[in-house]
Amino acid sequence: MVLMGDFNAPPGSPAYEALVGPKDDHYGRLATRHRLVDTWVAAGHDEAEGVTCPAQPARGHPPLRIDLGLVSAELAPRIKSSWIDAAAEGSDHQPYWFDLDW
């Protein structure tokens, strides 16, 4: 399964953890068959890094990574890369991309 979108749920939020599972202090997030895997993390990025929704000081919003690509656990090893197009214009969110090796 591949699921993408604006989740309005940054890493560490209750909604994010409901999708990808809780984070273990020692082992990090453990991929299980009934949870999804964040493609950003599967591609080697730190979960806390990346910004898809730049800061909006007038609205009190810090920079966040809330646009996510999630895959089922069996697809996680097929994630080859991921990136955020910080130069794109036209939205208050930056496009998020990932390469999936079929």
Side-chain angles (χ1 to χ4, degrees), residues 13-50:
S13 69
Y16 181 85
E17 294 206 354
L19 293 164
V20 301
K23 190 172 189 177
D24 181 85
D25 290 336
H26 183 70
Y27 296 106
R29 296 209 191 269
L30 302 175
T32 62
R33 292 182 58 89
H34 68 284
R35 301 278 187 185
L36 298 172
V37 176
D38 185 340
T39 58
W40 181 256
V41 176
H45 301 284
D46 187 285
E47 175 177 292
E49 295 176 349

